[in-house]
Amino acid sequence: MKKWFIALAGVLLTFTLAGCGSKTVATTNGGKITESAYYSSLKGTSSGKQVLQQMILNKVLEKEYGSKVKKSAVTKQFNQYKAQYGSSFSSVLAQSGMTQSSLKTEIRSNLLLKEAVKDNVTVSNAQLKKQFKSYEPEVTVAHILVSKKSTANTVISELKDTKKSDLTSEFTKLAKKYSTDTATKTKGGKLSAFDSTDTSLDATFKKAAFKLSTDEFTTTPVKTQYGYHVILMLKNPGKGTMNQHKAELKKQVLDNDMNDSTVLHNVVAKVLKKGNVSIKDSDLKNILSDYLSSSSSSASSSSK
């Protein structure tokens, strides 16, 4: 997928060269560099060719799926990135050679490509069954993190002596008293809801949490790289049946496809073939040959 995520600085630069005229890009005491000379040099490089591939794909995707990607969806994902990196967001962008505007452009490109995958890939029942095996619906938990196993056992002991109706309030008190997780201790240890696709939480933590029913807590300390956890399940709807979660399972399979280079290659090939692409520069005539050649194969098991 990275092949279709070229640095936007390069894309913007290419836009300025669209005229390919004699306008001077730079001057030196050894002579000047014109747009046409720079373009001729750039198009011979692999990065220059990748930029053009990306531009072509974006044009075709925008024509086909632009109406399906709302500005609000781009803004939502942008704000998620911004919240994730917090005060270091600007420095992360700078290190990546990006601006807020170019990040939004990349997000839109990614969402357009996702629409193309949804439109060109058929999710089989076998794929849904496979996804369901590891699927866990969204749950909400609270946790108490401590550095010593003995402290975790003390917390568990106190919870065992608590009536079920008082469990949440007692857990909140214990979180304030014992937890070393400063982000959650004043909120009763409550974490944001998560499901089996979450990548931010420790795998051992998630495995222990998913075993709990609503109002159950871990009776042995859960050890992770951060210390020892006591976990209380606040809300677990239960796994249910595959048919109950068919829409979410399909979404997860398609999300996985966004990281599958073979699936993406086949989708991009289909999109470009529909896009009536014609390369006018003879030096670049084969730039899309991997995607537009008659021998370009289709994904027999997943592509429509």
Side-chain angles (χ1 to χ4, degrees):
M1 185 168 73
K2 290 296 182 184
K3 184 173 184 178
W4 297 102
F5 275 165
I6 309 304
L8 266 294
V11 174
L12 295 174
L13 180 62
T14 307
F15 277 128
T16 68
L17 300 177
C20 298
S22 58
K23 183 179 178 181
T24 299
V25 176
T27 60
T28 74
N29 59 9
K32 65 181 181 179
I33 299 172
T34 63
E35 282 184 345
S36 57
Y38 180 43
Y39 170 78
S40 295
S41 176
L42 183 65
K43 73 179 183 180
T45 66
S46 60
S47 58
K49 290 176 180 176
Q50 285 181 332
V51 167
L52 181 57
Q53 287 176 334
Q54 182 70 60
M55 291 177 71
I56 292 170
L57 179 61
N58 281 350
K59 287 284 189 183
V60 176
L61 286 173
E62 196 66 58
K63 170 69 174 176
E64 190 73 18
Y65 303 106
S67 62
K68 294 184 178 182
V69 178
K70 305 299 182 184
K71 185 178 179 180
S72 58
V74 176
T75 301
K76 180 181 178 181
Q77 199 167 113
F78 174 84
N79 288 337
Q80 288 173 345
Y81 284 129
K82 194 172 182 179
Q84 179 183 346
Y85 291 104
S87 59
S88 58
F89 180 62
S90 295
S91 60
V92 170
L93 280 180
Q95 289 168 14
S96 303
M98 297 182 69
T99 64
Q100 291 191 20
S101 176
S102 63
L103 174 59
K104 288 179 180 179
T105 303
E106 283 212 16
I107 290 172
R108 182 168 182 82
S109 295
N110 189 42
L111 292 175
L112 287 169
L113 185 56
K114 184 176 284 190
E115 287 297 328
V117 169
K118 285 166 61 178
D119 191 37
N120 288 279
V121 172
T122 299
V123 178
S124 68
N125 203 51
Q127 287 175 299
L128 292 176
K129 286 181 179 179
K130 181 180 178 181
Q131 190 68 24
F132 185 64
K133 285 182 179 179
S134 61
Y135 173 73
E136 293 288 349
E138 192 172 81
V139 299
T140 305
V141 307
H143 82 131
I144 295 171
L145 173 65
V146 295
S147 58
K148 295 181 180 179
K149 186 177 182 179
S150 58
T151 308
N153 280 322
T154 297
V155 172
I156 291 169
S157 179
E158 293 193 37
L159 289 173
K160 284 181 177 179
D161 293 334
T162 303
K163 291 190 299 183
K164 195 168 186 178
S165 59
D166 298 331
L167 196 57
T168 302
S169 59
E170 181 64 18
F171 198 91
T172 298
K173 292 176 185 176
L174 294 173
K176 289 179 180 178
K177 181 178 179 179
Y178 290 106
S179 186
T180 59
D181 182 357
T182 56
T184 65
K185 67 180 299 178
T186 59
K187 298 184 291 185
K190 187 176 180 180
L191 295 171
S192 298
F194 60 91
D195 62 18
S196 51
T197 64
D198 178 89
T199 57
S200 63
L201 294 172
D202 183 275
T204 302
F205 181 95
K206 289 192 297 180
K207 185 177 180 180
F210 289 136
K211 289 180 180 179
L212 301 171
S213 298
T214 301
D215 293 329
E216 282 188 345
F217 59 91
T218 49
T219 54
T220 56
V222 179
K223 186 180 181 181
T224 70
Q225 58 181 310
Y226 306 106
Y228 294 90
H229 305 258
V230 180
I231 307 170
L232 171 66
M233 179 59 68
L234 299 174
K235 183 181 179 182
N236 187 345
K239 188 167 181 174
T241 66
M242 187 182 83
N243 284 336
Q244 288 175 314
H245 302 288
K246 213 163 189 177
E248 179 59 28
L249 292 171
K250 181 178 179 181
K251 178 181 177 298
Q252 290 181 8
V253 171
L254 291 173
D255 284 344
N256 292 337
D257 285 341
M258 287 294 292
N259 294 306
D260 187 319
S261 58
T262 301
V263 172
L264 286 185
H265 182 281
N266 291 321
V267 169
V268 168
K270 285 177 174 289
V271 169
L272 291 176
K273 285 174 181 176
K274 291 178 186 176
N276 195 28
V277 179
S278 177
I279 307 298
K280 304 302 184 182
D281 189 317
S282 59
D283 293 332
L284 296 167
K285 63 182 180 180
N286 294 321
I287 195 170
L288 298 176
S289 58
D290 285 349
Y291 301 94
L292 298 180
S293 64
S294 58
S295 59
S296 182
S297 62
S298 298
S300 58
S301 62
S302 60
S303 290
K304 290 180 181 177

